[in-house]
Every structure is written in structure tokens, then in C-alpha cells.
């Protein structure tokens, strides 16, 4: 694995202000689409750890509905930028999702292997509905076809970090979404 480059060598792909504006739009769109009637169960967000925790924290505040949230931990990549294709759950859900309207919150859909594995896993618990919102989508690398209800930004085949996304557990705290250069000095 290449060492993590110094922060000054990262190139900004999507500046923080643009990310924030798009998250606000997604929140409005979800609010308009998913009404929660009085007496009904709240819209149940499931944030996929670790990458989506920053996005989920902002998105939940942009949704003007009765919502609840839970976290699911998965690990797919180890410390490299290539998918191992193997997924394992590192944290299971705390709440039962049977008959619930679930909105799965992802940071990025790349090959689609992770999100497909998660959806199969969640469907076994018989939610009433299960839709996906992802901040980033890299459609050029898709291996598994997945239906994405909401996409923040489509990006090219670049490895990105920041706003929750990491390279070897670093850079999750950056407010911008940045590109890792192919080779660093
Ligand atoms: P997939 O299974 O190939 O769709 O990959 C999904 C997971 O891989 C994401 O949830 C991320 O954790 C990680 N991943 C994919 N692309 C990137 C990237 O560009 N930066 C950081 N993590 C990524
Ligand atoms: Mg993820």
C-alpha cells in the first residue's frame, strides 16, 4: 500500500460549499417524497459506517420529517484503494427494521458490491421499503447493478477522500471531497 500523501498534495474535487448545498437539496427532495403520516413509524435511516457518518449527520438535519437512525458497520477494502470483493459486518443494526421504511445512507457506490450485499442482508428482515441515498456515485466501475433513489454527485473513476471518506483511515475530517493523486512526490 502506498503511504497516505500529505494533505497539501490532495486536489479538491468538490468544495465544501457545494457539498453542503447538495446535501440540503437531497434533504428537501427526501422530505417531499417520503411523507410520514401521523401515528406512522418514522422514516428509518441506516447509515453505513464508517464512511457515511458525516453525510448522515448533515442529511438527517436537512430532512424535515419524523426520522430515526441506526448504524450498520461494514468493511470491504482493508487499507487499499481496490475492493477485495469481500464484505463483512463489523456492527449489526440495533433496531428491528421489519415493516419499516428504510433509507440506506451510503458515502459512495463504486462497484456496487457493498451496497448489494447490504440490501440482500436487510431484505431478510422484511422492511416495508428499502431505498438508497448515496452522496457519491462512480458508475464507471459498477459490477453489480443497484438502484439508487438519490445521488449527490456522479464522479469519475478517481479515489476520493474527505467528508467521511478515508484512505487508510485518514482524511475523514476534511470538509471538501478531494482526489488522491495517482502518484505523489
Ligand atoms: P463498492 O463495494 O466497490 O461499491 O465500494 C463501496 C465502499 O468502498 C464504499 O462504501 C467506500 O467505503 C469504499 N470506497 C469506494 N470508492 C472509494 C473512494 O473513492 N474513496 C474512499 N472509499 C471508497
Ligand atoms: Mg461505505
Amino acid at each position: 500500500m502506498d503511504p497516505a500523501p500529505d494533505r497539501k498534495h490532495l486536489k479538491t474535487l468538490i468544495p465544501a460549499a457545494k457539498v453542503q448545498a447538495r446535501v440540503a437539496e437531497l434533504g428537501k427532495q427526501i422530505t417531499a417524497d417520503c411523507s410520514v403520516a401521523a401515528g406512522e413509524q418514522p422514516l428509518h435511516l441506516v447509515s453505513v459506517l464508517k464512511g457515511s457518518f458525516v453525510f448522515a449527520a448533515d442529511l438527517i438535519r436537512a430532512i424535515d420529517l419524523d426520522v430515526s437512525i441506526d448504524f450498520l458497520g461494514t468493511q470491504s477494502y482493508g487499507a487499499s484503494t481496490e475492493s477485495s470483493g469481500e464484505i463483512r459486518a463489523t456492527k449489526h443494526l440495533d433496531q428491528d427494521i421489519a415493516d419499516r421504511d428504510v433509507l440506506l445512507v451510503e458515502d459512495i457506490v463504486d462497484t456496487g458490491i457493498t451496497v448489494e450485499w447490504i440490501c440482500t442482508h436487510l431484505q431478510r428482515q422484511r422492511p416495508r421499503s428499502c431505498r438508497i441515498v448515496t452522496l457519491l456515485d462512480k458508475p464507471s466501475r459498477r459490477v453489480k447493478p443497484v438502484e439508487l433513489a438519490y445521488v449527490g454527485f456522479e464522479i469519475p473513476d478517481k479515489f476520493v477522500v474527505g467528508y467521511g471518506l478515508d484512505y487508510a483511515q485518514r482524511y475523514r475530517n476534511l470538509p471538501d471531497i478531494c482526489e488522491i493523486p495517482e502518484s505523489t512526490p
Side-chain angles (χ1 to χ4, degrees):
M1 178 203 129
D2 293 336
D6 194 277
R7 193 176 159 162
K8 67 175 182 284
H9 296 304
L10 303 182
K11 193 174 137 208
T12 300
L13 187 69
I14 312 171
K18 227 175 138 181
V19 175
Q20 293 301 327
R22 186 68 186 124
V23 173
E25 276 176 11
L26 288 172
K28 277 200 185 124
Q29 215 178 325
I30 292 164
T31 304
D33 292 352
C34 313
S35 60
V36 179
E40 271 194 18
Q41 296 258 56
L43 175 67
H44 193 56
L45 275 66
V46 171
S47 161
V48 183
L49 297 172
K50 300 176 192 169
S52 83
F53 84 103
V54 176
F55 175 43
D58 283 343
L59 184 67
I60 199 169
R61 285 173 290 176
I63 300 174
D64 188 15
L65 291 172
D66 198 8
V67 301
S68 51
I69 189 162
D70 201 352
F71 298 90
L72 179 70
T74 61
Q75 211 170 32
S76 57
Y77 272 20
S80 109
T81 57
E82 279 298 310
S83 176
S84 64
E86 279 172 43
I87 319 294
R88 71 186 182 94
T90 54
K91 186 207 166 290
H92 294 280
L93 294 177
D94 293 332
Q95 274 116 37
D96 191 359
I97 57 163
D99 294 323
R100 301 293 304 270
D101 288 313
V102 172
L103 185 62
L104 189 69
V105 184
E106 261 291 16
D107 51 354
I108 185 164
V109 179
D110 185 16
T111 62
I113 292 170
T114 307
V115 90
E116 199 228 32
W117 184 90
I118 293 170
C119 286
T120 306
H121 183 79
L122 296 185
Q123 287 299 347
R124 286 198 203 113
Q125 295 185 41
R126 302 253 171 255
R128 185 161 83 166
S129 65
C130 184
R131 299 187 313 147
I132 303 165
V133 54
T134 184
L135 179 70
L136 303 172
D137 181 17
K138 267 194 231 176
S140 59
R141 296 204 359 124
R142 198 75 88 250
V143 171
K144 299 276 184 187
V146 284
E147 197 183 320
L148 303 174
Y150 306 97
V151 173
F153 302 94
E154 238 183 53
I155 62 164
D157 181 14
K158 307 271 184 199
F159 196 83
V160 292
V161 295
Y163 198 69
L165 291 113
D166 76 305
Y167 175 69
Q169 301 303 323
R170 289 184 57 192
Y171 314 118
R172 293 193 197 272
N173 57 324
L174 305 184
D176 305 313
I177 292 170
C178 300
E179 219 177 278
I180 293 266
E182 300 273 314
S183 62
T184 45

